[in-house]
PDB file of all heavy atoms in Angstrom:
ATOM      1  N   GLY A 157     104.423  83.892 104.256  1.00 96.00           N
ATOM      2  CA  GLY A 157     105.554  84.217 103.396  1.00 96.00           C
ATOM      3  C   GLY A 157     106.878  83.937 104.091  1.00 96.00           C
ATOM      4  O   GLY A 157     106.937  83.257 105.118  1.00 96.00           O
ATOM      5  N   LEU A 158     107.947  84.486 103.545  1.00 96.00           N
ATOM      6  CA  LEU A 158     109.281  84.237 104.088  1.00 96.00           C
ATOM      7  C   LEU A 158     109.392  84.654 105.553  1.00 96.00           C
ATOM      8  O   LEU A 158     109.906  83.899 106.394  1.00 96.00           O
ATOM      9  CB  LEU A 158     110.333  84.970 103.257  1.00 96.00           C
ATOM     10  CG  LEU A 158     110.496  84.522 101.796  1.00 96.00           C
ATOM     11  CD1 LEU A 158     111.482  85.422 101.082  1.00 96.00           C
ATOM     12  CD2 LEU A 158     110.946  83.079 101.729  1.00 96.00           C
ATOM     13  N   THR A 159     108.901  85.847 105.878  1.00 97.00           N
ATOM     14  CA  THR A 159     109.014  86.341 107.247  1.00 97.00           C
ATOM     15  C   THR A 159     108.230  85.484 108.213  1.00 97.00           C
ATOM     16  O   THR A 159     108.693  85.162 109.311  1.00 97.00           O
ATOM     17  CB  THR A 159     108.538  87.800 107.336  1.00 97.00           C
ATOM     18  OG1 THR A 159     109.269  88.600 106.397  1.00 97.00           O
ATOM     19  CG2 THR A 159     108.767  88.365 108.735  1.00 97.00           C
ATOM     20  N   GLY A 160     107.011  85.093 107.828  1.00 98.00           N
ATOM     21  CA  GLY A 160     106.195  84.258 108.691  1.00 98.00           C
ATOM     22  C   GLY A 160     106.826  82.905 108.956  1.00 98.00           C
ATOM     23  O   GLY A 160     106.852  82.428 110.097  1.00 98.00           O
ATOM     24  N   LEU A 161     107.348  82.263 107.904  1.00 98.00           N
ATOM     25  CA  LEU A 161     108.005  80.973 108.078  1.00 98.00           C
ATOM     26  C   LEU A 161     109.202  81.087 109.010  1.00 98.00           C
ATOM     27  O   LEU A 161     109.402  80.252 109.915  1.00 98.00           O
ATOM     28  CB  LEU A 161     108.459  80.414 106.726  1.00 98.00           C
ATOM     29  CG  LEU A 161     107.389  80.079 105.691  1.00 98.00           C
ATOM     30  CD1 LEU A 161     108.030  79.439 104.464  1.00 98.00           C
ATOM     31  CD2 LEU A 161     106.333  79.162 106.270  1.00 98.00           C
ATOM     32  N   GLU A 162     110.003  82.130 108.805  1.00 98.00           N
ATOM     33  CA  GLU A 162     111.218  82.271 109.608  1.00 98.00           C
ATOM     34  C   GLU A 162     110.896  82.538 111.068  1.00 98.00           C
ATOM     35  O   GLU A 162     111.511  81.940 111.969  1.00 98.00           O
ATOM     36  CB  GLU A 162     112.096  83.390 109.034  1.00 98.00           C
ATOM     37  CG  GLU A 162     112.704  83.034 107.695  1.00 98.00           C
ATOM     38  CD  GLU A 162     113.858  83.924 107.302  1.00 98.00           C
ATOM     39  OE1 GLU A 162     113.795  85.146 107.586  1.00 98.00           O
ATOM     40  OE2 GLU A 162     114.821  83.424 106.720  1.00 98.00           O
ATOM     41  N   PHE A 163     109.934  83.420 111.326  1.00 98.00           N
ATOM     42  CA  PHE A 163     109.647  83.722 112.728  1.00 98.00           C
ATOM     43  C   PHE A 163     108.983  82.546 113.424  1.00 98.00           C
ATOM     44  O   PHE A 163     109.316  82.235 114.581  1.00 98.00           O
ATOM     45  CB  PHE A 163     108.776  84.960 112.884  1.00 98.00           C
ATOM     46  CG  PHE A 163     108.488  85.253 114.331  1.00 98.00           C
ATOM     47  CD1 PHE A 163     109.480  85.783 115.136  1.00 98.00           C
ATOM     48  CD2 PHE A 163     107.268  84.943 114.903  1.00 98.00           C
ATOM     49  CE1 PHE A 163     109.251  86.013 116.492  1.00 98.00           C
ATOM     50  CE2 PHE A 163     107.034  85.159 116.243  1.00 98.00           C
ATOM     51  CZ  PHE A 163     108.026  85.703 117.044  1.00 98.00           C
ATOM     52  N   ALA A 164     108.048  81.884 112.766  1.00 98.00           N
ATOM     53  CA  ALA A 164     107.371  80.751 113.393  1.00 98.00           C
ATOM     54  C   ALA A 164     108.370  79.668 113.784  1.00 98.00           C
ATOM     55  O   ALA A 164     108.314  79.118 114.898  1.00 98.00           O
ATOM     56  CB  ALA A 164     106.321  80.177 112.444  1.00 98.00           C
ATOM     57  N   ALA A 165     109.317  79.377 112.896  1.00 98.00           N
ATOM     58  CA  ALA A 165     110.327  78.365 113.212  1.00 98.00           C
ATOM     59  C   ALA A 165     111.262  78.845 114.309  1.00 98.00           C
ATOM     60  O   ALA A 165     111.630  78.068 115.210  1.00 98.00           O
ATOM     61  CB  ALA A 165     111.124  78.020 111.947  1.00 98.00           C
ATOM     62  N   GLU A 166     111.634  80.112 114.261  1.00 98.00           N
ATOM     63  CA  GLU A 166     112.590  80.649 115.238  1.00 98.00           C
ATOM     64  C   GLU A 166     112.029  80.605 116.650  1.00 98.00           C
ATOM     65  O   GLU A 166     112.698  80.165 117.596  1.00 98.00           O
ATOM     66  CB  GLU A 166     112.956  82.084 114.861  1.00 98.00           C
ATOM     67  CG  GLU A 166     114.225  82.596 115.508  1.00 98.00           C
ATOM     68  CD  GLU A 166     115.473  81.986 114.904  1.00 98.00           C
ATOM     69  OE1 GLU A 166     115.611  81.962 113.670  1.00 98.00           O
ATOM     70  OE2 GLU A 166     116.327  81.517 115.691  1.00 98.00           O
ATOM     71  N   ILE A 167     110.802  81.069 116.816  1.00 98.00           N
ATOM     72  CA  ILE A 167     110.236  81.112 118.166  1.00 98.00           C
ATOM     73  C   ILE A 167     109.887  79.706 118.654  1.00 98.00           C
ATOM     74  O   ILE A 167     110.033  79.390 119.841  1.00 98.00           O
ATOM     75  CB  ILE A 167     109.004  82.045 118.225  1.00 98.00           C
ATOM     76  CG1 ILE A 167     108.616  82.310 119.675  1.00 98.00           C
ATOM     77  CG2 ILE A 167     107.848  81.490 117.421  1.00 98.00           C
ATOM     78  CD1 ILE A 167     109.670  83.021 120.490  1.00 98.00           C
ATOM     79  N   ALA A 168     109.475  78.827 117.748  1.00 98.00           N
ATOM     80  CA  ALA A 168     109.173  77.454 118.152  1.00 98.00           C
ATOM     81  C   ALA A 168     110.426  76.726 118.614  1.00 98.00           C
ATOM     82  O   ALA A 168     110.376  75.912 119.554  1.00 98.00           O
ATOM     83  CB  ALA A 168     108.523  76.692 116.999  1.00 98.00           C
ATOM     84  N   GLU A 169     111.550  77.008 117.984  1.00 98.00           N
ATOM     85  CA  GLU A 169     112.812  76.377 118.375  1.00 98.00           C
ATOM     86  C   GLU A 169     113.342  76.947 119.676  1.00 98.00           C
ATOM     87  O   GLU A 169     113.786  76.204 120.563  1.00 98.00           O
ATOM     88  CB  GLU A 169     113.855  76.556 117.273  1.00 98.00           C
ATOM     89  CG  GLU A 169     115.200  75.913 117.586  1.00 98.00           C
ATOM     90  CD  GLU A 169     116.235  76.253 116.549  1.00 98.00           C
ATOM     91  OE1 GLU A 169     116.845  77.346 116.647  1.00 98.00           O
ATOM     92  OE2 GLU A 169     116.456  75.428 115.642  1.00 98.00           O
ATOM     93  N   SER A 170     113.304  78.282 119.807  1.00 98.00           N
ATOM     94  CA  SER A 170     113.889  78.912 120.994  1.00 98.00           C
ATOM     95  C   SER A 170     112.974  78.831 122.211  1.00 98.00           C
ATOM     96  O   SER A 170     113.443  78.864 123.348  1.00 98.00           O
ATOM     97  CB  SER A 170     114.205  80.386 120.694  1.00 98.00           C
ATOM     98  OG  SER A 170     113.036  81.111 120.376  1.00 98.00           O
ATOM     99  N   ARG A 171     111.649  78.722 121.997  1.00 98.00           N
ATOM    100  CA  ARG A 171     110.697  78.603 123.104  1.00 98.00           C
ATOM    101  C   ARG A 171     109.782  77.397 122.878  1.00 98.00           C
ATOM    102  O   ARG A 171     108.596  77.537 122.569  1.00 98.00           O
ATOM    103  CB  ARG A 171     109.861  79.884 123.203  1.00 98.00           C
ATOM    104  CG  ARG A 171     110.596  81.105 123.714  1.00 98.00           C
ATOM    105  CD  ARG A 171     110.934  81.003 125.208  1.00 98.00           C
ATOM    106  NE  ARG A 171     109.780  80.759 126.031  1.00 98.00           N
ATOM    107  CZ  ARG A 171     108.958  81.706 126.496  1.00 98.00           C
ATOM    108  NH1 ARG A 171     109.190  82.974 126.214  1.00 98.00           N
ATOM    109  NH2 ARG A 171     107.927  81.377 127.262  1.00 98.00           N
ATOM    110  N   PRO A 172     110.332  76.186 123.025  1.00 98.00           N
ATOM    111  CA  PRO A 172     109.496  74.991 122.798  1.00 98.00           C
ATOM    112  C   PRO A 172     108.351  74.853 123.792  1.00 98.00           C
ATOM    113  O   PRO A 172     107.458  74.025 123.591  1.00 98.00           O
ATOM    114  CB  PRO A 172     110.501  73.839 122.944  1.00 98.00           C
ATOM    115  CG  PRO A 172     111.614  74.397 123.771  1.00 98.00           C
ATOM    116  CD  PRO A 172     111.698  75.842 123.399  1.00 98.00           C
ATOM    117  N   ASP A 173     108.369  75.676 124.853  1.00 98.00           N
ATOM    118  CA  ASP A 173     107.279  75.625 125.838  1.00 98.00           C
ATOM    119  C   ASP A 173     106.035  76.352 125.365  1.00 98.00           C
ATOM    120  O   ASP A 173     104.963  76.212 125.965  1.00 98.00           O
ATOM    121  CB  ASP A 173     107.756  76.236 127.163  1.00 98.00           C
ATOM    122  CG  ASP A 173     108.200  77.687 126.997  1.00 98.00           C
ATOM    123  OD1 ASP A 173     108.943  77.983 126.037  1.00 98.00           O
ATOM    124  OD2 ASP A 173     107.810  78.525 127.830  1.00 98.00           O
ATOM    125  N   LEU A 174     106.145  77.125 124.283  1.00 98.00           N
ATOM    126  CA  LEU A 174     104.997  77.873 123.778  1.00 98.00           C
ATOM    127  C   LEU A 174     104.240  77.055 122.728  1.00 98.00           C
ATOM    128  O   LEU A 174     104.808  76.172 122.079  1.00 98.00           O
ATOM    129  CB  LEU A 174     105.447  79.199 123.171  1.00 98.00           C
ATOM    130  CG  LEU A 174     106.144  80.185 124.122  1.00 98.00           C
ATOM    131  CD1 LEU A 174     106.594  81.421 123.361  1.00 98.00           C
ATOM    132  CD2 LEU A 174     105.232  80.557 125.273  1.00 98.00           C
ATOM    133  N   ASP A 175     102.973  77.393 122.552  1.00 98.00           N
ATOM    134  CA  ASP A 175     102.125  76.735 121.553  1.00 98.00           C
ATOM    135  C   ASP A 175     102.081  77.643 120.324  1.00 98.00           C
ATOM    136  O   ASP A 175     101.323  78.609 120.272  1.00 98.00           O
ATOM    137  CB  ASP A 175     100.724  76.526 122.134  1.00 98.00           C
ATOM    138  CG  ASP A 175      99.795  75.808 121.171  1.00 98.00           C
ATOM    139  OD1 ASP A 175     100.285  75.332 120.131  1.00 98.00           O
ATOM    140  OD2 ASP A 175      98.582  75.749 121.446  1.00 98.00           O
ATOM    141  N   VAL A 176     102.930  77.342 119.332  1.00 98.00           N
ATOM    142  CA  VAL A 176     103.103  78.213 118.167  1.00 98.00           C
ATOM    143  C   VAL A 176     102.243  77.709 117.012  1.00 98.00           C
ATOM    144  O   VAL A 176     102.234  76.514 116.697  1.00 98.00           O
ATOM    145  CB  VAL A 176     104.575  78.279 117.735  1.00 98.00           C
ATOM    146  CG1 VAL A 176     104.733  79.189 116.512  1.00 98.00           C
ATOM    147  CG2 VAL A 176     105.444  78.781 118.888  1.00 98.00           C
ATOM    148  N   ALA A 177     101.527  78.640 116.376  1.00 98.00           N
ATOM    149  CA  ALA A 177     100.703  78.313 115.206  1.00 98.00           C
ATOM    150  C   ALA A 177     100.981  79.324 114.098  1.00 98.00           C
ATOM    151  O   ALA A 177     101.345  80.472 114.361  1.00 98.00           O
ATOM    152  CB  ALA A 177      99.219  78.326 115.573  1.00 98.00           C
TER     153      ALA A 177
END
Side-chain angles (χ1 to χ4, degrees):
L158 295 175
T159 305
L161 296 184
E162 290 197 322
F163 180 74
E166 198 73 49
I167 192 63
E169 181 187 83
S170 62
R171 289 289 305 275
D173 59 314
L174 298 177
D175 182 9
V176 180

